[in-house]
């Protein structure tokens, strides 16, 4: 059985689950993010994901940390943890982004990756007059965008003519430390997203959902045509609530649900900006949860033994990387490292 990798979502938009709790006032500052990721590195977490929005989807009045400047700073501040920066191709020309990524790859000494998402929040595009094509066209655009980026990462002289981009006689130095290039994570729940990761991606991020549904998604992606030499790997997003007993964990879930319910107006604000063709929000409606990107729908709620067993089950199903959310973040992240990670390791030794 593969040993899992654990990562944390950087709190670039504030908190996960309820935005403002008695234990954790809202804070989207770089100082807080840096502190949490340094502590995650010390605790043995392998990765962090820095999501991308130019405006906070919950409210324009809320702060939002910028992804790529923060990722460069985090690459300098850390020593071992992988820094994954999300990227919406509509926001950056592929040549510009490819060069920025090479810079952070160098700063991090090869610990950098990108998470390509084809955008779902219409207002941040519409308010800036950035074109926001229909859903399937965004994936065609992303596919061409990614081909340009990967070509420029190769170090070869690139000449490219596509539907959206034209590159003439361009090559970049330095070439990436990460070989053959920085890893490419892809998100999205639609058929075009699965096709794109099968064609060009390395790791497919699955939003939190029950394990039976995760197994079906993995099977679907692995059935897609693929020409790259290595198979697609899989990551899962999840919000964790672990306690000594199942009853205590359930009580905490209900408490966080009630607090989240008090912020229904923020949820409605997000909903108004969602592209109705975005499949992942259809899944969220099917599986109500605490946290973002499926959150507690993944089922990592329960006693320490229960959560560890469910993590091990997901690993057995094909999940390699767990990208985790907590609230309050620091104390629950520490609890997971001290109580869950060793239990999963023990389960794998027995298996």
């Amino acid at each position: 059985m593969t040993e899992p990798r654990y990562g944390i979502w950087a709190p670039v938009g504030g908190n996960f689950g309820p935005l403002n709790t008695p234990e954790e006032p809202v804070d989207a500052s770089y100082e807080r993010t840096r502190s949490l990721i340094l502590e995650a590195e010390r605790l043995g977490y392998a990765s962090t994901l820095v999501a991308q929005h130019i405006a906070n989807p919950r409210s324009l009045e809320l702060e939002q940390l910028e992804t790529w400047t923060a990722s460069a700073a985090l690459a300098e501040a850390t020593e071992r943890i992988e820094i994954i920066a999300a990227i919406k191709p509509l926001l950056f020309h592929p040549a510009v982004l490819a060069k920025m990524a090479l810079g952070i790859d160098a700063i991090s000494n090869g610990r950098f990756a990108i998470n390509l998402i084809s955008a779902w929040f219409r207002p941040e595009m519409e308010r800036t007059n950035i074109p926001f094509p229909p859903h399937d066209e965004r994936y065609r655009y992303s596919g061409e965008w990614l081909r340009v980026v990967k070509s420029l990462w190769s170090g070869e002289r690139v000449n490219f003519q596509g539907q959206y981009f034209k590159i003439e006689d361009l090559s970049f130095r330095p070439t990436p430390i990460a070989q053959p290039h920085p890893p490419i994570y892809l998100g999205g729940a639609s058929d075009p997203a699965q096709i794109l990761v099968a064609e060009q991606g390395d790791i497919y991020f699955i939003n939190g959902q029950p394990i039976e549904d995760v197994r079906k998604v993995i099977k679907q992606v692995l059935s897609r045509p693929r020409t790259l030499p290595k198979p697609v790997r899989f990551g899962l997003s999840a919000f964790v609530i672990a306690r000594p007993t199942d009853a205590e964990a359930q009580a905490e879930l209900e408490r966080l649900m009630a607090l989240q319910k008090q912020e229904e107006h923020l949820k409605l604000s997000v909903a108004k900006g969602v592209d109705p063709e975005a499949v992942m929000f259809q899944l969220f409606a099917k599986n109500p949860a605490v946290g973002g990107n499926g959150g507690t729908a993944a089922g990592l709620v329960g006693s320490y033994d229960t959560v560890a067993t469910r993590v091990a089950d997901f690993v057995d199903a094909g999940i390699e990387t767990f990208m985790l959310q907590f609230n309050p973040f620091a104390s629950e992240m520490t609890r997971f490292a001290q109580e869950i990670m060793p239990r999963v390791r023990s389960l794998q030794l027995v298996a």
Side-chain angles (χ1 to χ4, degrees), residues 110-124:
R111 294 181 289 115
F112 184 66
I114 68 168
N115 177 36
L116 188 148
I117 48 176
S118 292
W120 55 265
F121 189 55
R122 292 181 291 107
E124 66 182 347

Side-chain angles (χ1 to χ4, degrees), residues 15-314:
N15 298 329
F16 295 98
L19 185 63
N20 198 357
T21 67
E23 304 86 358
E24 189 133 83
V26 61
D27 183 356
S29 67
Y30 173 72
E31 289 76 14
R32 179 199 183 200
T33 294
R34 179 182 183 276
S35 175
L36 284 172
I37 291 172
L38 285 172
E39 181 62 11
E41 184 175 68
R42 188 190 70 79
L43 289 167
Y45 288 85
S47 188
T48 185
L49 173 58
V50 188
Q52 183 173 63
H53 288 291
I54 58 174
N56 194 308
R58 299 191 203 188
S59 170
L60 291 177
E61 304 306 313
L62 295 171
E63 295 182 359
Q64 180 75 31
L65 191 62
E66 197 284 313
T67 303
W68 283 71
T69 49
S71 294
L74 291 167
E76 174 66 24
T78 54
E79 296 180 357
R80 297 178 304 279
I81 199 166
E82 177 189 40
I83 310 294
I84 309 170
I87 176 64
K88 296 175 181 175
L90 294 170
L91 297 179
F92 289 91
H93 189 281
V96 174
L97 189 285
K99 186 63 176 177
M100 291 168 61
L102 288 173
I104 305 179
D105 170 78
I107 294 167
S108 68
N109 196 29
R111 294 181 289 115
F112 184 66
I114 68 168
N115 177 36
L116 188 148
I117 48 176
S118 292
W120 55 265
F121 189 55
R122 292 181 291 107
E124 66 182 347
M125 303 297 177
E126 293 171 348
R127 288 168 178 159
T128 51
N129 281 311
I130 295 173
F132 189 70
H135 180 275
D136 289 3
E137 186 181 351
R138 294 201 300 277
Y139 277 96
R140 290 193 293 272
Y141 181 96
S142 292
E144 184 173 306
W145 184 97
L146 191 52
R147 285 194 294 275
V148 173
V149 169
K150 292 174 74 173
S151 296
L152 290 168
W153 281 347
S154 72
E156 298 175 2
R157 197 171 293 271
V158 175
N159 286 279
F160 181 93
Q161 177 67 63
Q163 180 180 355
Y164 303 103
F165 303 108
K166 182 178 182 180
I167 306 295
E168 295 181 340
D169 198 30
L170 181 64
S171 62
F172 284 158
R173 296 292 183 277
T175 54
I177 295 172
Q179 287 295 316
H181 53 68
I184 298 166
Y185 293 76
L186 276 102
S190 64
D191 283 344
Q194 292 188 8
I195 291 168
L196 182 56
V197 73
E199 290 177 345
Q200 298 197 61
D202 300 308
I203 305 100
Y204 184 52
F205 262 141
I206 301 172
N207 287 311
Q209 52 194 291
I211 191 167
E212 297 81 9
D213 294 337
V214 169
R215 288 194 179 103
K216 291 176 185 176
V217 170
I218 291 174
K219 184 177 180 180
Q220 288 171 352
V221 173
L222 292 177
S223 71
R224 307 280 184 180
R226 185 169 174 86
T227 58
L228 297 179
K230 295 182 179 179
V232 177
R233 309 195 306 275
F234 296 91
L236 180 73
S237 178
F239 186 108
V240 180
I241 302 176
R243 293 291 185 274
T245 67
D246 287 332
E248 289 174 276
Q250 184 62 33
E252 176 63 5
L253 173 63
E254 291 171 3
R255 184 184 80 91
L256 292 177
M257 279 281 200
L259 289 170
Q260 192 169 266
K261 185 71 174 175
Q262 295 174 15
E263 300 173 353
E264 193 71 14
H265 62 289
L266 298 176
K267 182 179 178 181
L268 292 174
S269 176
V270 173
K272 290 177 182 177
V274 171
D275 177 3
E277 294 185 276
V279 176
M280 68 176 182
F281 284 91
Q282 299 169 24
L283 295 176
F284 299 162
K286 174 184 171 185
N287 300 304
V290 168
N293 290 81
T296 53
L300 300 189
V301 177
S303 70
Y304 301 147
D305 289 335
T306 295
V307 172
T309 298
R310 289 174 182 169
V311 169
D313 288 344
F314 274 116

